[in-house]
Amino acid sequence: MKIAVLPGDGIGTEIVAEAIKVLNVLDLTFEMETALVGGAAFDAHGHPLPDATLKLAMQSDAVLFGAVGDWKYDTLDRPLRPEQAILGLRKNMGLFANFRPAICYEQLVGASSLKPELISGLDILIIRELTGDIYFGQPRGRRVATDGHFPGSEEAFDTMRYSKPEIERIAHVAFQAARKRKASGSEGRVTSVDKANVLETFQFWKDVVSEVGKEYPDIALDHMYVDNAAMQLVKEPKRFDVVVTGNMFGDILSDEASMLTGSIGMLPSASLNSKNQGLYEPSHGSAPDIAGKGVANPLATILSAAMMLRFSLNQAAAADRIETAVKAVLAQGLRTPDIYSAGTTQVGTAQMGDAVVNALR
Ligand code: IPM
Ligand code: MG
């Protein structure tokens, strides 16, 4: 089981260190190799995704990823910005299926900004297509005026596009996930989120998902416009089971859904290719404002490591153990600042990781 460890920038190094502590107390043997990525790689090698890092990732069974980005890189040319590292890994490894579960742990019901009854028992799965859409559309760029009136760029453009096979494969992933969840008590519903009322790309998306849906008569399919979905997610989040959508809408809706769980610091993610090779990262970013302070919540990364064990390394029992340990730690009342509420005990990043390790032991 070969794991490429890419901590990245900001709080990335702190939270990944805690996930590694947790992996190291399981009775399993991993081959782990660490490499620079994002701004850290740019500083050392002049590129956010050096060849050696990409090669290591591609040759591993799984990538454990922290986060990338810092405001200090905002003025770099786009190909050199830290975010290009994660986009390059997704594209080069073909990680088209992004799983972002939003599960509300009972102990954190009070940490959400929503009323407890709306989110208690919440367990939804957002599946975001990750290698297409406006993120990777061509052409993109800027047009410079030639009439002399505008010396700089006159307009900028990005192209939204999806091919039929791209939509089909993510739709199959969503229906299969819904089927699996149905077997353990979920409703068996896929909600496909689009903007078919305005965008041609998403009318096509809707048509292709409907077509694929005919192969899954046991799964209910409904379609929702993205603006309505954004509203329904906070109005009645438990109406959803599996949500499938494109890259851009999935980016936005998964951040929104994370707040249903109390904190974005709790939300893990998995990005898989067709060979079940995967990249595992917290859904949150590099949080430069709290980097180095030892206060970041490591649980999203620890839970991402659990997803890694389950999806790419075939170690479901170990994944269950980690998830049980996280629940135990929350039940003990330990909270990083992002999930703190009166009557609980505030801890830092390392203390939280240690607590999970102790619970595992
Ligand atoms: C995410 C992030 C990335 C994205 C950024 C860092 C490129 O927001 O994983 O959701 O937009 O996909
Ligand atoms: Mg995002």
Side-chain angles (χ1 to χ4, degrees), residues 2 4 55 66 71 84 131 141 160 186 213 232 244 246 263 267 275 300-302 312 326:
K2 184 163 176 187
K55 198 171 154 203
W71 301 298
Q84 294 302 309
T131 53
M160 181 176 271
S186 289
Q232 297 296 340
V244 66
S263 166
L267 205 73
K275 298 177 290 187
T301 314
I302 290 170
S312 287
V326 167

PDB file of all heavy atoms in Angstrom, residues 2 4 55 66 71 84 131 141 160 186 213 232 244 246 263 267 275 300-302 312 326:
ATOM      1  N   LYS A   2       1.019   1.816  -1.171  1.00  0.00           N
ATOM      2  CA  LYS A   2       1.910   2.957  -1.309  1.00  0.00           C
ATOM      3  C   LYS A   2       1.115   4.267  -1.277  1.00  0.00           C
ATOM      4  O   LYS A   2       0.181   4.450  -2.064  1.00  0.00           O
ATOM      5  CB  LYS A   2       2.702   2.832  -2.610  1.00  0.00           C
ATOM      6  CG  LYS A   2       3.703   3.949  -2.755  1.00  0.00           C
ATOM      7  CD  LYS A   2       4.760   3.665  -3.787  1.00  0.00           C
ATOM      8  CE  LYS A   2       5.648   4.900  -3.898  1.00  0.00           C
ATOM      9  NZ  LYS A   2       6.618   4.834  -4.958  1.00  0.00           N
ATOM     10  N   ALA A   4       1.338   8.426  -1.391  1.00  0.00           N
ATOM     11  CA  ALA A   4       2.073   9.673  -1.602  1.00  0.00           C
ATOM     12  C   ALA A   4       1.487  10.703  -0.644  1.00  0.00           C
ATOM     13  O   ALA A   4       0.275  10.941  -0.651  1.00  0.00           O
ATOM     14  CB  ALA A   4       1.909  10.139  -3.042  1.00  0.00           C
ATOM     15  N   LYS A  55       4.894  12.356 -10.584  1.00  0.00           N
ATOM     16  CA  LYS A  55       5.295  10.970 -10.819  1.00  0.00           C
ATOM     17  C   LYS A  55       5.041  10.121  -9.572  1.00  0.00           C
ATOM     18  O   LYS A  55       4.472   9.022  -9.652  1.00  0.00           O
ATOM     19  CB  LYS A  55       6.788  10.943 -11.198  1.00  0.00           C
ATOM     20  CG  LYS A  55       7.219   9.673 -11.870  1.00  0.00           C
ATOM     21  CD  LYS A  55       8.634   9.809 -12.419  1.00  0.00           C
ATOM     22  CE  LYS A  55       9.262   8.426 -12.500  1.00  0.00           C
ATOM     23  NZ  LYS A  55      10.715   8.475 -12.493  1.00  0.00           N
ATOM     24  N   GLY A  66      -3.011  17.597   1.696  1.00  0.00           N
ATOM     25  CA  GLY A  66      -3.428  18.584   2.699  1.00  0.00           C
ATOM     26  C   GLY A  66      -4.241  19.684   2.043  1.00  0.00           C
ATOM     27  O   GLY A  66      -5.442  19.567   1.840  1.00  0.00           O
ATOM     28  N   TRP A  71      -2.483  33.753  -0.155  1.00  0.00           N
ATOM     29  CA  TRP A  71      -2.698  35.028  -0.870  1.00  0.00           C
ATOM     30  C   TRP A  71      -1.419  35.552  -1.501  1.00  0.00           C
ATOM     31  O   TRP A  71      -1.458  36.281  -2.474  1.00  0.00           O
ATOM     32  CB  TRP A  71      -3.258  36.090   0.094  1.00  0.00           C
ATOM     33  CG  TRP A  71      -4.552  35.665   0.693  1.00  0.00           C
ATOM     34  CD1 TRP A  71      -5.713  35.401   0.003  1.00  0.00           C
ATOM     35  CD2 TRP A  71      -4.847  35.434   2.071  1.00  0.00           C
ATOM     36  NE1 TRP A  71      -6.718  35.025   0.881  1.00  0.00           N
ATOM     37  CE2 TRP A  71      -6.208  35.039   2.162  1.00  0.00           C
ATOM     38  CE3 TRP A  71      -4.103  35.511   3.265  1.00  0.00           C
ATOM     39  CZ2 TRP A  71      -6.835  34.732   3.358  1.00  0.00           C
ATOM     40  CZ3 TRP A  71      -4.740  35.215   4.458  1.00  0.00           C
ATOM     41  CH2 TRP A  71      -6.074  34.829   4.499  1.00  0.00           C
ATOM     42  N   GLN A  84      -3.083  25.304  -9.212  1.00  0.00           N
ATOM     43  CA  GLN A  84      -2.855  24.505 -10.420  1.00  0.00           C
ATOM     44  C   GLN A  84      -2.327  23.124 -10.074  1.00  0.00           C
ATOM     45  O   GLN A  84      -2.446  22.179 -10.864  1.00  0.00           O
ATOM     46  CB  GLN A  84      -1.875  25.212 -11.371  1.00  0.00           C
ATOM     47  CG  GLN A  84      -2.424  26.513 -11.947  1.00  0.00           C
ATOM     48  CD  GLN A  84      -3.716  26.316 -12.711  1.00  0.00           C
ATOM     49  OE1 GLN A  84      -3.814  25.459 -13.579  1.00  0.00           O
ATOM     50  NE2 GLN A  84      -4.726  27.109 -12.385  1.00  0.00           N
ATOM     51  N   THR A 131     -13.136  16.661 -13.534  1.00  0.00           N
ATOM     52  CA  THR A 131     -12.108  16.905 -14.548  1.00  0.00           C
ATOM     53  C   THR A 131     -12.665  17.555 -15.818  1.00  0.00           C
ATOM     54  O   THR A 131     -12.003  17.556 -16.856  1.00  0.00           O
ATOM     55  CB  THR A 131     -11.367  15.600 -14.922  1.00  0.00           C
ATOM     56  OG1 THR A 131     -12.326  14.611 -15.287  1.00  0.00           O
ATOM     57  CG2 THR A 131     -10.525  15.107 -13.771  1.00  0.00           C
ATOM     58  N   GLY A 141      -9.082  32.445 -21.975  1.00  0.00           N
ATOM     59  CA  GLY A 141      -8.032  33.444 -22.121  1.00  0.00           C
ATOM     60  C   GLY A 141      -8.565  34.854 -22.065  1.00  0.00           C
ATOM     61  O   GLY A 141      -9.648  35.099 -21.545  1.00  0.00           O
ATOM     62  N   MET A 160     -17.445  26.653 -20.910  1.00  0.00           N
ATOM     63  CA  MET A 160     -18.081  25.539 -20.205  1.00  0.00           C
ATOM     64  C   MET A 160     -18.361  24.430 -21.199  1.00  0.00           C
ATOM     65  O   MET A 160     -19.002  24.659 -22.228  1.00  0.00           O
ATOM     66  CB  MET A 160     -19.385  26.033 -19.569  1.00  0.00           C
ATOM     67  CG  MET A 160     -20.111  24.977 -18.792  1.00  0.00           C
ATOM     68  SD  MET A 160     -21.580  25.668 -17.981  1.00  0.00           S
ATOM     69  CE  MET A 160     -20.899  26.200 -16.422  1.00  0.00           C
ATOM     70  N   SER A 186     -30.656   4.003   3.057  1.00  0.00           N
ATOM     71  CA  SER A 186     -30.976   5.317   2.496  1.00  0.00           C
ATOM     72  C   SER A 186     -32.133   5.208   1.506  1.00  0.00           C
ATOM     73  O   SER A 186     -32.550   4.112   1.137  1.00  0.00           O
ATOM     74  CB  SER A 186     -29.759   5.915   1.800  1.00  0.00           C
ATOM     75  OG  SER A 186     -28.795   6.289   2.746  1.00  0.00           O
ATOM     76  N   GLY A 213     -30.098   7.094 -16.178  1.00  0.00           N
ATOM     77  CA  GLY A 213     -31.004   6.736 -15.085  1.00  0.00           C
ATOM     78  C   GLY A 213     -31.937   5.587 -15.430  1.00  0.00           C
ATOM     79  O   GLY A 213     -32.372   4.842 -14.550  1.00  0.00           O
ATOM     80  N   GLN A 232     -32.556  24.776  -1.277  1.00  0.00           N
ATOM     81  CA  GLN A 232     -33.083  23.576  -0.612  1.00  0.00           C
ATOM     82  C   GLN A 232     -32.078  22.981   0.377  1.00  0.00           C
ATOM     83  O   GLN A 232     -32.466  22.378   1.374  1.00  0.00           O
ATOM     84  CB  GLN A 232     -33.454  22.503  -1.652  1.00  0.00           C
ATOM     85  CG  GLN A 232     -34.559  22.905  -2.614  1.00  0.00           C
ATOM     86  CD  GLN A 232     -35.897  23.140  -1.933  1.00  0.00           C
ATOM     87  OE1 GLN A 232     -36.137  22.670  -0.819  1.00  0.00           O
ATOM     88  NE2 GLN A 232     -36.766  23.895  -2.583  1.00  0.00           N
ATOM     89  N   VAL A 244     -25.682  14.727  -7.586  1.00  0.00           N
ATOM     90  CA  VAL A 244     -24.606  14.674  -8.591  1.00  0.00           C
ATOM     91  C   VAL A 244     -24.640  15.952  -9.408  1.00  0.00           C
ATOM     92  O   VAL A 244     -25.704  16.433  -9.800  1.00  0.00           O
ATOM     93  CB  VAL A 244     -24.709  13.412  -9.487  1.00  0.00           C
ATOM     94  CG1 VAL A 244     -25.970  13.425 -10.356  1.00  0.00           C
ATOM     95  CG2 VAL A 244     -23.463  13.271 -10.368  1.00  0.00           C
ATOM     96  N   GLY A 246     -21.939  19.054 -11.787  1.00  0.00           N
ATOM     97  CA  GLY A 246     -20.703  19.367 -12.494  1.00  0.00           C
ATOM     98  C   GLY A 246     -19.645  19.942 -11.567  1.00  0.00           C
ATOM     99  O   GLY A 246     -19.866  20.146 -10.370  1.00  0.00           O
ATOM    100  N   SER A 263     -19.062  22.319  10.675  1.00  0.00           N
ATOM    101  CA  SER A 263     -17.870  23.058  10.265  1.00  0.00           C
ATOM    102  C   SER A 263     -17.270  22.422   9.028  1.00  0.00           C
ATOM    103  O   SER A 263     -17.287  21.202   8.878  1.00  0.00           O
ATOM    104  CB  SER A 263     -16.831  23.016  11.386  1.00  0.00           C
ATOM    105  OG  SER A 263     -15.570  23.445  10.900  1.00  0.00           O
ATOM    106  N   LEU A 267     -15.241  17.996   7.039  1.00  0.00           N
ATOM    107  CA  LEU A 267     -15.690  17.368   5.797  1.00  0.00           C
ATOM    108  C   LEU A 267     -14.545  16.754   4.972  1.00  0.00           C
ATOM    109  O   LEU A 267     -13.719  17.472   4.429  1.00  0.00           O
ATOM    110  CB  LEU A 267     -16.401  18.430   4.946  1.00  0.00           C
ATOM    111  CG  LEU A 267     -17.420  17.914   3.955  1.00  0.00           C
ATOM    112  CD1 LEU A 267     -18.677  17.453   4.660  1.00  0.00           C
ATOM    113  CD2 LEU A 267     -17.788  18.987   2.953  1.00  0.00           C
ATOM    114  N   LYS A 275      -9.591   3.410 -11.972  1.00  0.00           N
ATOM    115  CA  LYS A 275      -8.846   2.275 -11.402  1.00  0.00           C
ATOM    116  C   LYS A 275      -8.878   2.271  -9.871  1.00  0.00           C
ATOM    117  O   LYS A 275      -8.115   1.548  -9.234  1.00  0.00           O
ATOM    118  CB  LYS A 275      -7.379   2.335 -11.871  1.00  0.00           C
ATOM    119  CG  LYS A 275      -7.216   2.217 -13.378  1.00  0.00           C
ATOM    120  CD  LYS A 275      -5.747   2.359 -13.801  1.00  0.00           C
ATOM    121  CE  LYS A 275      -5.279   3.781 -13.590  1.00  0.00           C
ATOM    122  NZ  LYS A 275      -3.917   4.069 -14.119  1.00  0.00           N
ATOM    123  N   ALA A 300     -11.206  16.495   9.385  1.00  0.00           N
ATOM    124  CA  ALA A 300     -11.539  16.279   7.967  1.00  0.00           C
ATOM    125  C   ALA A 300     -10.439  15.470   7.279  1.00  0.00           C
ATOM    126  O   ALA A 300     -10.715  14.610   6.437  1.00  0.00           O
ATOM    127  CB  ALA A 300     -11.741  17.618   7.254  1.00  0.00           C
ATOM    128  N   THR A 301      -9.193  15.734   7.650  1.00  0.00           N
ATOM    129  CA  THR A 301      -8.077  14.997   7.036  1.00  0.00           C
ATOM    130  C   THR A 301      -8.019  13.567   7.566  1.00  0.00           C
ATOM    131  O   THR A 301      -7.773  12.623   6.816  1.00  0.00           O
ATOM    132  CB  THR A 301      -6.750  15.719   7.317  1.00  0.00           C
ATOM    133  OG1 THR A 301      -6.943  17.116   7.071  1.00  0.00           O
ATOM    134  CG2 THR A 301      -5.644  15.209   6.414  1.00  0.00           C
ATOM    135  N   ILE A 302      -8.261  13.418   8.855  1.00  0.00           N
ATOM    136  CA  ILE A 302      -8.281  12.067   9.447  1.00  0.00           C
ATOM    137  C   ILE A 302      -9.413  11.242   8.823  1.00  0.00           C
ATOM    138  O   ILE A 302      -9.235  10.071   8.471  1.00  0.00           O
ATOM    139  CB  ILE A 302      -8.410  12.181  10.984  1.00  0.00           C
ATOM    140  CG1 ILE A 302      -7.099  12.754  11.564  1.00  0.00           C
ATOM    141  CG2 ILE A 302      -8.756  10.847  11.613  1.00  0.00           C
ATOM    142  CD1 ILE A 302      -7.156  13.143  13.039  1.00  0.00           C
ATOM    143  N   SER A 312      -9.449   3.073  -1.717  1.00  0.00           N
ATOM    144  CA  SER A 312      -8.295   2.735  -2.553  1.00  0.00           C
ATOM    145  C   SER A 312      -7.455   1.598  -1.983  1.00  0.00           C
ATOM    146  O   SER A 312      -6.732   0.953  -2.728  1.00  0.00           O
ATOM    147  CB  SER A 312      -7.384   3.960  -2.748  1.00  0.00           C
ATOM    148  OG  SER A 312      -7.988   4.886  -3.618  1.00  0.00           O
ATOM    149  N   VAL A 326     -13.244   8.784  15.834  1.00  0.00           N
ATOM    150  CA  VAL A 326     -13.592  10.207  15.729  1.00  0.00           C
ATOM    151  C   VAL A 326     -14.881  10.489  16.503  1.00  0.00           C
ATOM    152  O   VAL A 326     -14.977  11.471  17.252  1.00  0.00           O
ATOM    153  CB  VAL A 326     -13.727  10.632  14.242  1.00  0.00           C
ATOM    154  CG1 VAL A 326     -14.402  11.999  14.116  1.00  0.00           C
ATOM    155  CG2 VAL A 326     -12.343  10.648  13.582  1.00  0.00           C
TER     156      VAL A 326
END
